[in-house]
Amino acid sequence: MSEQNILNPTAASTLNPDYSIPIDDPDIAAMWQARSGRSYIRNTQARGQVFQLHWEKADFNTYRALRQWHRQYRNDFFSFQDIEDGRYYTGRFAEGSFKHERVMNNQVTVQAVFVEVPGMPMFQYPGNWGVDSVFLEERDSFGSDLVKLTGSWSFETLGSPLCHGGSNYNSSTTNDAAEWVYFGYGFRVWALRWSGGGIAEVSLDGTVLGTYDTFNATNVNAAPLWTQQNVSLGQHRVKLRATGTKNASSSGFNVRADALEVMR
């Protein structure tokens, strides 16, 4: 499989690029603000990171290996390892970016642009939660919903750390749904557990992944109740649904839409 083919598999690999390495993390959102109104932000594109790579005065064998790699994966994809950051990226050399210059006997300077391609499988999915992840609350700081609600959800302010960010939405009505749209890799669903908690169903991009139980005899502060790590880069939709079922010991069927932690 293409994602198993790593350009620079170890720190000692001769195909590791030289420094410096400019990296572009494209801005996927558009922001605007009316002259006398609030600020708005919307995702407008789904692009991965871009690495400007070069190999300075590489020996001719290294050049040949890079040239072969470029030709082999011109219409495919491969993995590039960011060794310092401990992450792998799936992508390919950008069209027309592979260039070389013969600078002296048996030495060649090579340039190429590696572009991360969304939607492709990965050699290793990112999982450094709390470092590479960001949170989508149920509402942003401007008071607008970040989650699309279907049904009869109630907004609650319970304070932090009981709720992540201090508030959440709550529903006990069967088939009520809450949906987040995000750009990134995997995700974690955060919510509190309590004596009236019910069972929630979670789906990703229309596919049901499973259920999780939000019951606990005593209140448990907001924490990850579902983790989905092996997700390729892309624009994704996470949906929570109140199933109308519960643990036999629970006093209710309540499901909470609190926060979605997204791997970026």
Side-chain angles (χ1 to χ4, degrees):
M1 294 186 292
S2 296
E3 72 273 13
Q4 302 297 324
N5 297 319
I6 306 169
L7 176 68
N8 53 332
T10 69
S13 171
T14 58
L15 299 189
N16 276 311
D18 293 325
Y19 290 102
S20 63
I21 304 175
I23 302 172
D24 178 21
D25 191 356
D27 196 342
I28 62 170
M31 293 177 281
W32 69 96
Q33 183 174 6
R35 181 173 298 178
S36 59
R38 51 153 292 184
S39 175
Y40 293 88
I41 183 168
R42 292 290 185 273
N43 286 348
T44 57
Q45 57 184 328
R47 296 177 56 197
Q49 294 196 63
V50 179
F51 296 78
Q52 306 281 344
L53 308 179
H54 76 281
W55 293 261
E56 195 73 25
K57 296 182 180 179
D59 64 59
F60 215 80
N61 287 333
T62 297
Y63 158 67
R64 286 193 179 109
L66 289 168
R67 182 181 63 185
Q68 184 182 41
W69 204 275
H70 164 62
R71 292 173 177 174
Q72 177 68 47
Y73 295 100
R74 181 173 291 167
N75 299 314
D76 210 328
F77 61 90
F78 59 92
S79 293
F80 171 71
Q81 182 182 186
D82 186 340
I83 294 175
E84 289 176 314
D85 206 16
R87 291 183 59 165
Y88 292 84
Y89 295 91
T90 298
R92 60 189 176 197
F93 292 138
E95 181 180 359
S97 72
F98 188 87
K99 303 179 185 301
H100 75 279
E101 178 184 4
R102 298 185 184 182
V103 291
M104 58 181 61
N105 291 339
N106 294 320
Q107 290 189 336
V108 184
T109 292
V110 181
Q111 296 179 349
V113 178
F114 176 83
V115 180
E116 188 180 14
V117 179
M120 298 294 102
M122 304 187 71
F123 176 77
Q124 180 177 297
Y125 292 85
N128 196 2
W129 299 100
V131 174
D132 293 328
S133 59
V134 297
F135 279 93
L136 297 178
E137 304 291 347
E138 77 289 346
R139 287 184 176 179
D140 63 21
S141 300
F142 299 101
S144 297
D145 285 332
L146 295 176
V147 59
K148 177 184 176 182
L149 302 170
T150 303
S152 53
W153 295 83
S154 299
F155 183 71
E156 299 176 329
T157 302
L158 303 179
S160 181
L162 198 58
C163 296
H164 192 278
S167 59
N168 64 200
Y169 279 106
N170 180 22
S171 177
S172 60
T173 304
T174 303
N175 292 328
D176 276 6
E179 299 176 78
W180 281 272
V181 174
Y182 75 91
F183 177 75
Y185 303 91
F187 66 90
R188 300 200 297 190
V189 177
W190 283 63
L192 66 88
R193 297 174 65 207
W194 68 302
S195 60
I199 294 175
E201 176 189 85
V202 57
S203 61
L204 174 66
D205 300 332
T207 298
V208 174
L209 301 176
T211 60
Y212 59 89
D213 192 350
T214 67
F215 166 77
N216 197 73
T218 59
N219 289 349
V220 177
N221 293 334
L225 301 184
W226 184 277
T227 298
Q228 193 71 27
Q229 185 163 312
N230 295 346
V231 180
S232 297
L233 179 68
Q235 187 104 326
H236 299 293
R237 182 180 297 271
V238 174
K239 179 179 178 180
L240 308 182
R241 183 180 70 87
T243 64
T245 59
K246 67 181 183 70
N247 186 295
S249 300
S250 179
S251 62
F253 300 89
N254 298 71
V255 169
R256 286 184 155 89
D258 187 352
L260 191 73
E261 185 182 8
V262 176
M263 182 61 63
R264 287 298 309 274

